[in-house]
């Protein structure tokens, strides 16, 4: 009796030992925290579709491990992002966090990633300083200084002497305001007024009237993804272009997610950005056509490649660690990686963990009956932060 009990016990223990590590090793969980509802829902939709497309094209096995994607909706509220990150780390034991649709949402997750030693891939947010707030942050999106400085250089080189800037009054807006002014004035231009509109109220009439009254050569705009259509509707209603004011901005304003519905008044608008659905490369043509097919014709925007390349980075890191999910090792494996994305060449700076990528100057044009940002100049390998 005793012997049988011991034998059974040993057998059960052996079974448990054999079964538990195998199960624990097989699945690597990746937890994306995204605004799937609320004002930034398009960012969530685009990133999820990009991440899922990467997995559909590359399979769900990496280095012998099965990748499980978990998507959580923070509704765009920073306290929710932080709570979900904690749950994903503590309960789901994710190996990697990712997503973060807006700067404040990313910032709220930083301390969780630091404490848990879990890499956190910023796939959307663009304020330059975010990555430095946690040693576990890496970025596959863009930064506003990176995307803005080339617009200022182009403006100074193309006869624009005075500019009014109008940006959303939070991290990325302030970053773009500062980068535009620094670069434009270094090249001999003058920013005659810096206007800031509250992020929560997409009501721009008073700011646009002020800009019009100041009669600058150009009005530079930044609003986050999802607000471009409403801003441009108000710009058109105020007839700034007719008053001789050139409208310029970052590509967040002429967002591919909304551009085609913004109307022909946008034709000719110049912006600078890291991604256009019209980017002319074999990688991007394949990406856009697969994305349209997978999403019932949603055009991919710059957020989508943040998700697609974020998954690419996670796969490449797991490949390098041969499936080891230790946070510090994964993070180390992400540093210095480079590859060709649908947006063009990109790499993760080994020192800053921020993204280095090309920035393109583009003009809104009608192509096959649809509005696109058509790239006509490239500023190669621009660093995300220093
Ligand atoms: C941020 C969000 C956006 O939608 C965008 O286009 C740029 C920056 C941000 O909050 O960091």
């Amino acid at each position: 009796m005793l012997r049988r009990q011991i034998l059974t016990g040993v057998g059960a223990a052996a079974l448990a030992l054999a079964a538990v590590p195998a199960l624990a090793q097989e699945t690597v969980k990746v937890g994306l925290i995204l605004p799937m509802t609320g004002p930034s829902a398009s960012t969530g939709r685009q990133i999820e579709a990009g991440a899922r497309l990467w997995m559909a094209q590359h399979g769900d096995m990496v280095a012998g491990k099965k990748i499980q994607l978990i998507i959580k909706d923070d509704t765009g509220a920073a306290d929710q992002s932080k709570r979900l990150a904690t749950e994903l780390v503590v309960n789901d034991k994710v190996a990697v966090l990712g997503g973060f649709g807006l700067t404040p949402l990313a910032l709220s997750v930083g301390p969780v990633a630091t404490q848990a030693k879990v890499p956190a891939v910023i796939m959307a947010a663009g304020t330059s300083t975010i990555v430095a707030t946690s040693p576990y942050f890496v970025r596959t999106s863009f930064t506003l200084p990176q995307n803005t400085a080339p617009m200022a250089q182009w403006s100074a080189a193309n006869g624009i002497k005075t500019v009014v800037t109008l940006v959303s009054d939070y991290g990325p807006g302030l970053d773009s305001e500062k980068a535009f002014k620094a670069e434009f004035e270094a090249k001999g231009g003058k920013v005659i007024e810096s206007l800031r509109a509250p992020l929560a109220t997409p009501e721009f009439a008073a700011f646009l009237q002020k800009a019009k009254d100041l009669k600058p050569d150009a009005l530079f705009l930044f609003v986050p993804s999802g607000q471009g259509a409403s801003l441009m509707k108000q710009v058109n209603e105020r007839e700034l272009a007719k008053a001789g004011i050139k409208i310029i901005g970052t590509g967040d304003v002429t967002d591919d997610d909304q551009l085609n519905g913004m109307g022909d008044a946008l034709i000719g608008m110049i912006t600078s950005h890291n991604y256009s659905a019209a980017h002319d490369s074999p990688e991007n043509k394949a990406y856009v056509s697969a994305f349209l097919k997978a999403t019932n014709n949603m055009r991919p925007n710059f957020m989508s490649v943040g998700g697609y390349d974020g998954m690419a980075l996670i796969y490449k890191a797991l490949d390098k660690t041969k499936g080891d999910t230790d946070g510090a090792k994964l993070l180390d494996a992400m540093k210095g990686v480079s590859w060709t994305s649908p947006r063009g060449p990109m790499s993760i700076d080994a020192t800053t963990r921020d993204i280095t990528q090309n920035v393109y100057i583009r003009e809104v044009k009608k192509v096959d009956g649809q509005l696109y940002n058509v790239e006509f100049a490239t500023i190669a390998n621009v660093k995300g932060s220093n």
Side-chain angles (χ1 to χ4, degrees):
M1 179 68 200
L2 186 67
R3 200 168 147 248
R4 211 175 63 216
Q5 269 180 347
I6 290 169
L7 277 179
T8 312
V10 168
L15 253 182
L17 276 175
V20 169
L23 266 182
Q25 270 169 16
E26 264 170 18
T27 303
V28 174
K29 293 181 184 171
V30 175
L32 301 192
I33 302 168
L34 294 167
M36 300 306 299
T37 53
S40 300
S42 69
T43 295
R45 267 202 322 272
Q46 289 273 353
I47 290 182
E48 176 176 11
R52 292 204 187 282
L53 179 58
W54 174 272
M55 292 184 71
Q57 291 177 335
H58 298 84
D60 61 1
M61 295 295 293
V62 187
K65 303 286 173 78
K66 191 176 169 64
I67 309 298
Q68 184 190 343
L69 192 64
I70 304 173
I71 309 268
K72 298 281 185 189
D73 177 14
D74 64 12
T75 73
D79 56 334
Q80 296 298 311
S81 322
K82 180 163 194 169
R83 179 181 65 76
L84 291 167
T86 308
E87 276 179 23
L88 284 166
V89 163
V90 174
N91 300 343
D92 297 296
K93 314 232 177 318
V94 295
V96 184
L97 290 165
F100 324 126
L102 293 160
T103 289
L105 314 183
L107 287 173
S108 78
V109 170
V112 180
T114 305
Q115 209 194 350
K117 299 188 166 47
V118 169
V121 182
I122 301 167
M123 300 175 175
T127 302
S128 55
T129 50
I130 303 171
V131 179
T133 65
S134 167
Y136 281 85
F137 269 142
V138 289
R139 174 147 45 199
T140 59
S141 49
F142 52 85
T143 73
L144 267 300
Q146 178 178 56
N147 276 337
T148 301
M151 191 66 237
Q153 289 155 6
W154 184 91
S155 302
N158 285 272
I160 296 172
K161 304 228 173 324
T162 55
V163 167
V164 170
T165 60
L166 169 56
V167 303
S168 297
D169 191 4
Y170 79 122
L174 305 186
D175 251 9
S176 76
E177 174 190 289
K178 187 172 158 209
F180 190 93
K181 185 178 169 73
E183 196 64 31
F184 188 55
E185 299 198 339
K187 299 278 185 300
K190 181 80 194 144
V191 173
I192 57 174
E193 183 75 77
S194 305
L195 304 170
R196 300 172 181 175
L199 179 62
T201 12
E203 172 54 62
F204 302 102
F207 301 103
L208 293 172
Q209 189 56 49
K210 178 127 198 241
K212 195 176 176 183
D213 293 343
L214 287 162
K215 296 188 172 47
D217 293 337
L219 172 64
F220 170 85
L221 301 170
F222 164 80
V223 288
S225 186
Q227 287 198 15
S230 116
L231 171 62
M232 288 312 297
K233 183 166 177 285
Q234 296 174 56
V235 167
N236 295 334
E237 282 165 4
R238 298 261 140 190
E239 301 194 316
L240 275 90
K242 273 199 193 139
I245 300 168
K246 210 169 163 52
I247 307 299
I248 56 176
T250 63
D252 307 79
V253 179
T254 57
D255 186 348
D256 270 305
D257 193 71
Q258 297 185 320
L259 176 61
N260 204 34
M262 291 190 200
D264 288 358
L266 266 85
I267 292 174
M269 179 168 166
I270 309 287
T271 58
S272 57
H273 219 223
N274 62 307
Y275 178 72
S276 165
H279 178 65
D280 191 8
S281 74
E283 290 83 6
N284 189 51
K285 286 200 164 71
Y287 176 71
V288 172
S289 94
F291 195 97
L292 289 169
K293 212 164 145 197
T295 61
N296 199 16
N297 281 327
M298 175 166 81
R299 189 196 289 184
N301 75 352
F302 59 100
M303 293 300 184
S304 80
V305 288
Y308 186 79
D309 292 320
M311 289 309 289
L313 179 63
I314 293 164
Y315 273 44
K316 286 170 200 300
L318 276 167
D319 248 342
K320 279 174 77 178
T321 65
K322 301 190 169 49
D324 191 336
T325 56
D326 175 75
K329 287 183 190 158
L330 271 182
L331 186 86
D332 220 46
M334 292 178 180
K335 295 178 183 172
V337 178
S338 62
W339 70 98
T340 303
S341 150
R343 67 183 97 181
M346 64 176 278
S347 60
I348 304 300
D349 187 292
T351 310
T352 62
R353 291 167 276 116
D354 217 330
I355 182 169
T356 300
Q357 61 189 329
N358 291 352
V359 177
Y360 307 90
I361 312 290
R362 316 93 52 83
E363 178 176 357
V364 176
K365 284 188 173 176
K366 208 159 220 181
V367 182
D368 298 333
Q370 293 196 30
L371 296 176
Y372 280 97
N373 297 293
V374 178
E375 297 166 353
F376 63 88
T378 302
I379 298 88
N381 303 321
V382 184
K383 279 182 181 288
S385 61
N386 293 303

